[in-house]
Amino acid sequence: MPPAAPRDPAPTGDPAPAAVAIYAAGHDDLVLAGAEAVELVTQLLDEAGINYLTVSGRTKSVASFAEKAVRTVDGVRLYTDPLREIGDQLGVRVITYVRDDVTAVAELLADQVVVNDDRDLGRETASEGRFGYASRHLQIALDAARVGQPAYAHLVGRNVQVQIRTVLQHAWAEFEHDIRYKGTVPAEHAHDFDRRFTLAAGLLELADLEFATIRDRLRGPLTAGESLEPVRHDDDPRLDPRELAAFLAGQYADAGWSRADHYDWVSGLLLELGITSLDELGEVLRATDETLISERMDYRYPPGAVRRLDDALLATYGTTYVDLHGNSNRVAALHTRLDKLRGDAP
């Protein structure tokens, strides 16, 4: 009797095993690509001066990819080409403080890289007349200008899913996922839990709106007679970052807040320029043409207050500003922006 033929590891035509094998073989490179994606998004946010809480990333594990590759609905595979159709192999998550910043991040990415897909899951939930999961999901890829840069060598040809949420949306999503997907909700209590999760989502949406209102109310010029000078608590010659933040909120009332550490950073640049008081800074900014700067920069996203100041100082001091010690890590980017401000950009 001839020996039995070896059995195939999977049914004929099943794309999952081959896809998993390819995914596993390239996983080390994918991890490097994930780190580059986090660095890219972080640099874009910092350069734009957009406020955010955290930027984090993850690369889908081989086991997680394998599990997703064979998922079915009503006995039918979800993915006929897992390598192409599973879009969250590389993930970056941006957590902001308020919903306006979610929009700002999405607009920034649309301006700076290629956005292949943009889904507002919170809006989709609301269109169904209910409260629940809220998150902005973008599928991005490198733009042509960055494809040849060594810093993003492992990202070439790859898509990255970027999730953007407020901190309250993130808290709800994480708690809901932890409860539901660990199977700890007894069947007899499922409807009650659904109601309570919906109630919590509605309350958090209201809280998000209130936080946005609070921030908007805090923006605006200083009241009449209020001193621009900070109260000194130590011998630090720099402008107090908190006082600088309040000043810029009045100077650029339409701009979003920047990260707290960015105010501290730009305060150091001002010290290098010899600017140690808000009165001195006010004199410098009064001599700038904000309308021209905005026209030349052609912002496609809402720049943060520190970015607006950064561009004003660049327009005023030119290469002197570029050459400051605190700018040593972004000389090339500043020269590109300086060309735009001078009208020399192609």
Side-chain angles (χ1 to χ4, degrees):
M1 178 181 295
R7 298 181 61 184
D8 291 333
T12 303
D14 183 357
V20 172
I22 294 172
Y23 188 81
H27 195 257
D28 288 345
D29 282 343
L30 202 63
V31 170
L32 295 174
E36 292 173 2
V38 171
E39 182 65 19
L40 170 63
V41 173
T42 303
Q43 286 186 358
L44 290 175
L45 293 176
D46 287 345
E47 186 69 14
I50 294 176
N51 196 15
Y52 63 91
L53 177 62
T54 60
V55 178
S56 59
R58 66 107 185 92
T59 300
K60 184 176 285 295
S61 69
V62 176
S64 179
F65 179 86
E67 183 275 329
K68 197 165 187 176
V70 297
R71 282 186 190 172
T72 60
V73 174
D74 297 328
V76 178
R77 286 283 177 86
L78 279 176
Y79 305 105
T80 59
D81 186 353
L83 287 172
R84 182 178 61 84
E85 295 170 351
I86 295 178
D88 62 346
Q89 299 172 29
L90 294 175
V92 174
R93 181 173 291 156
V94 180
I95 306 299
T96 71
Y97 290 98
V98 295
R99 292 199 298 180
D100 286 350
D101 291 332
V102 171
T103 302
V105 173
E107 291 178 355
L108 169 67
L109 293 176
D111 179 62
Q112 293 292 313
V113 295
V114 176
V115 175
N116 294 314
D117 189 44
D118 182 354
R119 292 184 63 192
D120 188 336
L121 301 185
R123 182 174 296 173
E124 292 179 13
T125 300
S127 70
E128 298 170 358
R130 58 189 179 87
F131 296 103
Y133 182 75
S135 186
R136 188 91 174 254
H137 288 189
L138 279 63
Q139 289 285 343
I140 71 168
L142 288 179
D143 57 303
R146 290 183 174 85
V147 166
Q149 296 183 17
Y152 309 117
H154 298 88
L155 269 181
V156 176
R158 302 186 190 275
N159 285 320
V160 180
Q161 184 185 86
V162 181
Q163 298 180 357
I164 317 167
R165 307 172 182 166
T166 69
V167 64
L168 292 181
Q169 290 171 346
H170 180 63
W172 186 94
E174 290 295 292
F175 184 74
E176 195 261 0
H177 182 274
D178 184 66
I179 294 297
R180 289 193 190 277
Y181 288 88
K182 286 186 176 178
T184 54
V185 180
E188 64 271 21
H189 298 306
H191 290 301
D192 182 56
F193 273 69
D194 286 342
R195 183 183 67 83
R196 292 179 183 276
F197 273 122
T198 299
L199 176 61
L203 291 172
L204 290 178
E205 183 170 325
L206 178 62
D208 259 337
L209 291 172
E210 290 301 315
F211 284 155
T213 300
I214 290 169
R215 190 177 73 168
D216 289 343
R217 293 279 179 88
L218 289 174
R219 292 175 179 170
L222 296 170
T223 58
E226 186 175 353
S227 173
L228 294 179
E229 294 305 321
V231 177
R232 296 295 184 182
H233 298 289
D234 52 37
D235 295 328
D236 191 339
R238 297 175 303 165
L239 287 170
D240 185 290
R242 292 166 297 180
E243 296 291 338
L244 179 59
F247 173 80
L248 294 181
Q251 181 71 25
Y252 306 114
D254 58 335
W257 282 359
S258 298
R259 282 173 58 86
D261 57 328
H262 289 179
Y263 292 102
D264 187 67
W265 163 76
V266 81
S267 182
L269 294 178
L270 291 171
L271 179 61
E272 286 194 68
L273 292 171
I275 299 172
T276 58
S277 74
L278 293 176
D279 284 335
E280 292 171 350
L281 178 58
E283 288 296 321
V284 170
L285 295 181
R286 275 189 284 275
T288 61
D289 187 338
E290 278 299 320
T291 300
L292 180 61
I293 291 174
S294 294
E295 289 176 355
R296 292 278 172 84
M297 294 309 299
D298 189 25
Y299 302 114
R300 306 294 178 87
Y301 52 88
V306 169
R307 170 60 189 265
R308 293 281 295 276
L309 174 61
D310 193 32
D311 283 336
L313 296 174
L314 182 59
T316 300
Y317 292 97
T319 55
T320 298
Y321 185 69
V322 175
D323 293 337
L324 295 180
H325 175 73
N327 286 327
S328 60
N329 64 331
R330 58 187 193 127
V331 170
L334 286 177
H335 274 299
T336 299
R337 282 164 52 191
L338 184 57
D339 287 343
K340 292 182 68 174
L341 288 168
R342 289 174 170 173
D344 297 333

